Amino acid sequence: MQEQARLPCVEIRNLVKKFPGVIAVNHINLKVKHGEVFSLLGPSGCGKTTTLRILAGLETADEGEVLIEGEVINDVPPYRRDCNLVFQNLALFPHMTVEENLAYGLERKRVPKSEIRKRVGEMLEFMQLNGMESRYTVQLSGGQQQRVALGRSLVLKPKLLLLDEPLAALDRKLRKDMQVELKRIQKEVGITFFYVTHDQKVALAISDTIAVMREGKLEQVASPEEIYDTPRTRFVADFMGATNIFPGKVIARGGGEIQLETESGLKIVALADKASNNKTITGVCVHPERINVLPTGPDVETENQFNGRIVGMIYQGDFVELKIHLLSRKKDVSVTAHLDARLSRKDSFAVGQEVTIQWDRDGSSTLHG
Amino acid sequence: MKSLRTDRLLLVLVVGGYLLLWGPIIVLGIFSFNSSAFGVKWESLTAKWYVELFQTSAIMDSVVRSLLIASVTTMVATGIGTIAGYGLFKYKFAGRRFLRLSILLPITVPYVIMAGALLVYFTQIIHVPLGYPTIIIAHISFSAPLAVFVTLGRMQRIDWSLEEASIDLGADRLTTWRKVTIPLLLPAIFASAVLIFPWSFNDFTITYFVAGVGTTTLPLYLYSMLQYSLKPVLINAISLIFIITPTIGILVLSYFQREKQFTR
């Protein structure tokens, strides 16, 4: 048992998967701790679903090893693996009732009938599906179908639950509800979740660890906060919504801060992170909500303060998105800022108006590639 | 605005088409109750032909023969066709396209040519005496491609992640076939069977060539009656029975089909 606790739930070593004309997974290494929600996040075609399918055993690895609790499972057929998959389209059996769907895996494992009935009953209760047991799955609502799909896998008590964007097909409100629900379920059953998604919001909301994947490789593996606040690369920054990316070089360093000069000639001050040297820093990114926008006022020069003109304004409900062109630059630089709708009146800014933008040094993050 | 003339034209077309489809059958049905043994002149209402029909053992024998042949053909051809369709759809292998085409193409070969070829094949090459085996083999050879055709059509609309889900939940390939794939294919299997059974039952051309002595099927018997019988009106009677029975069957089945709509 102690041995088990020390081993990661899942370990992937040097995994490679090639398809004709493309390397879907390119030497991936990762570890998933017991009981955590691990998200593999990336755009479509980045290899995340392939990785998941290799874990499930539905695809075979070309190179490398997949381990569950320290055991190599490359050659274990999918129907003998102690991990279950919740499919993107849920893949509920349309010719079976809810109860039959839930019992399917247990029957295959030749669990005694009385125990199947007991465990299915508990799962119906747990998933709040009481009274639905003899319905066909097409007669259920989207949220209920999600719960049947989850229950069908969880009732087997797998060591690992693989989820392939099961929330993607839901509308926005239901997706939010299901995120909360998913997190609650995971906490309660304590099973490790391996969640594949292209939706950074879902990943941030449910994960303990996020791995951002790009073209078959992992870009960054970290906690949601770290990924969001300090994306390491331009790709991660962009994917996490830090749309203001300033490529540039370090020109000065000291006292825990660095100064950069961007390609467009801006001088930016940022926090120096210890782990990196000047050479590897390739720029800075700033999340739109970290940028303060002020009506152009007194010329008090503080750090990271620039003048610009509003060229676009999009009302988004809970915030207003401003597109601002910085003035008098060699190259055109535009910045996106989000204003909290509660704090700024809609009419306090207008397109064409000159404004001053500013952000604090801890609101930005240095990029390394 | 839709003009009244277009509406009327449409109505004429619909009624005309419908009459074309059902007219001959209705006339035939009515005349099966005509007491005259020949011709088109109406004499008086009678049901005696139906009585005679059931008393003529040659007719009853040929009906039983045809039902037997059609049943065996349907079962075997549907089985072969479903498995072949599955293989052609699911597995990628060299020559798959060619194989698919070469299985489906014989549907377009004229029956007379197919029949002649089969006769030569049976008598000159593999030397099988003509009879039940040759009829059934011949029927399977022209109806299995139909099952492949129907199955392939259905396969395109099946959600194949269901098979993967089954395997993921602990079912091996065979169990997955039994518990998931076959139930999903059931509409296709059923459609194939519904298509093949009457096809086999009704076949005249090919059976005419490959049937031996003593294996006269119903279509062959009806044809000979038409040529030599003194009571062609019997054909009307038997035809009506074989029109009404499947019609009722199809109505009943389509009712149940609607009751149990679970497939997408």
Side-chain angles (χ1 to χ4, degrees), chain A residues 37 39 44 46 52 71 78 88 109 116 140 148 152 166 178 188 192 205 212 242 254 269 271 299 314 329 361 363 368:
Chain A
V37 178
S39 288
S44 59
C46 74
L52 177 100
E71 235 174 280
Q88 182 165 20
K109 292 194 165 175
I116 291 181
L140 303 180
V148 176
R152 187 175 68 173
M178 281 306 294
E188 229 155 293
T192 313
V212 180
V269 180
L271 290 176
D299 274 342
I314 304 164
R329 293 293 150 200
R361 64 180 71 175
H368 307 260

Side-chain angles (χ1 to χ4, degrees), chain A residues 179-363:
Chain A
Q179 276 173 33
V180 177
E181 183 82 357
L182 208 59
K183 192 77 189 164
R184 174 187 76 85
I185 289 166
Q186 195 270 338
K187 280 273 167 308
E188 229 155 293
V189 296
I191 292 172
T192 313
F193 277 22
F194 189 94
Y195 196 100
V196 156
T197 182
H198 68 269
D199 186 335
Q200 94 276 13
K201 284 199 178 126
V202 174
L204 288 171
I206 65 165
S207 313
D208 297 306
T209 308
I210 295 176
V212 180
M213 197 168 177
R214 177 200 188 185
E215 290 172 5
K217 288 182 175 166
L218 295 184
E219 287 267 313
Q220 186 174 3
V221 183
S223 69
E225 295 79 10
E226 217 180 316
I227 290 260
Y228 188 82
D229 292 335
T230 57
R232 268 189 60 81
T233 67
R234 212 169 146 161
F235 177 81
V236 176
D238 193 32
F239 203 76
M240 299 314 292
T243 38
N244 302 305
I245 292 167
F246 305 102
K249 279 198 208 85
V250 177
I251 50 170
R253 182 177 191 130
E257 66 172 55
I258 51 170
Q259 261 199 38
L260 289 97
E261 184 170 351
T262 69
E263 288 166 5
S264 47
L266 300 175
K267 288 211 169 54
I268 292 174
V269 180
L271 290 176
D273 62 281
K274 281 156 259 154
S276 62
N277 63 43
N278 297 350
K279 291 261 170 58
T280 65
I281 294 174
T282 57
V284 164
C285 70
V286 190
H287 278 286
E289 70 274 16
R290 293 300 197 105
I291 291 179
N292 302 310
V293 183
L294 314 153
T296 304
D299 274 342
V300 188
E301 276 281 328
T302 67
E303 63 187 25
N304 304 330
Q305 178 180 323
F306 309 100
N307 292 329
R309 172 180 283 121
I310 297 174
V311 293
M313 211 168 146
I314 304 164
Y315 179 63
Q316 298 275 24
D318 48 349
F319 64 88
V320 179
E321 183 173 305
L322 295 180
K323 202 115 203 138
I324 298 159
H325 265 310
L326 299 192
L327 300 172
S328 59
R329 293 293 150 200
K330 288 180 273 178
K331 251 164 78 181
D332 260 6
V333 186
S334 74
V335 171
T336 308
H338 289 176
L339 301 181
D340 194 319
R342 281 177 308 161
L343 301 179
S344 64
R345 293 202 355 256
K346 236 174 109 181
D347 51 4
S348 51
F349 293 104
V351 174
Q353 186 182 341
E354 286 196 10
V355 290
T356 300
I357 63 159
Q358 187 274 332
W359 69 85
D360 297 333
R361 64 180 71 175
D362 63 354

Side-chain angles (χ1 to χ4, degrees), chain A residues 30-49:
Chain A
L30 60 81
K31 284 179 186 173
V32 181
K33 289 197 283 284
H34 271 282
E36 74 168 339
V37 178
F38 186 99
S39 288
L40 199 52
L41 174 66
S44 59
C46 74
K48 57 190 193 303
T49 300

Side-chain angles (χ1 to χ4, degrees), chain A residues 53 56 58 78-79 81 83-85 87 89 91-96 101 104-105 107-108 136 138 152-153 156, chain B residues 159 161-173 175-176 178-181 183-184 260-264:
Chain A
R53 288 173 61 83
L58 298 170
Y79 49 87
R81 288 192 187 190
C83 57
N84 290 108
L85 174 56
F87 288 75
N89 64 0
L92 297 173
F93 302 125
H95 57 293
M96 296 182 195
N101 266 283
Y104 190 82
E107 281 167 5
R108 302 289 81 74
Y136 285 101
V138 287
R152 187 175 68 173
S153 293
L156 298 171
Chain B
D159 174 10
S161 60
L162 292 169
E163 266 195 343
E164 288 186 339
S166 165
I167 291 169
D168 182 71
L169 290 166
D172 54 29
R173 283 234 153 258
T175 315
T176 298
R178 204 161 48 82
K179 289 279 189 182
V180 176
T181 315
L184 290 177
K260 211 183 167 191
Q261 271 294 1
F262 54 72
T263 45
R264 271 171 277 181

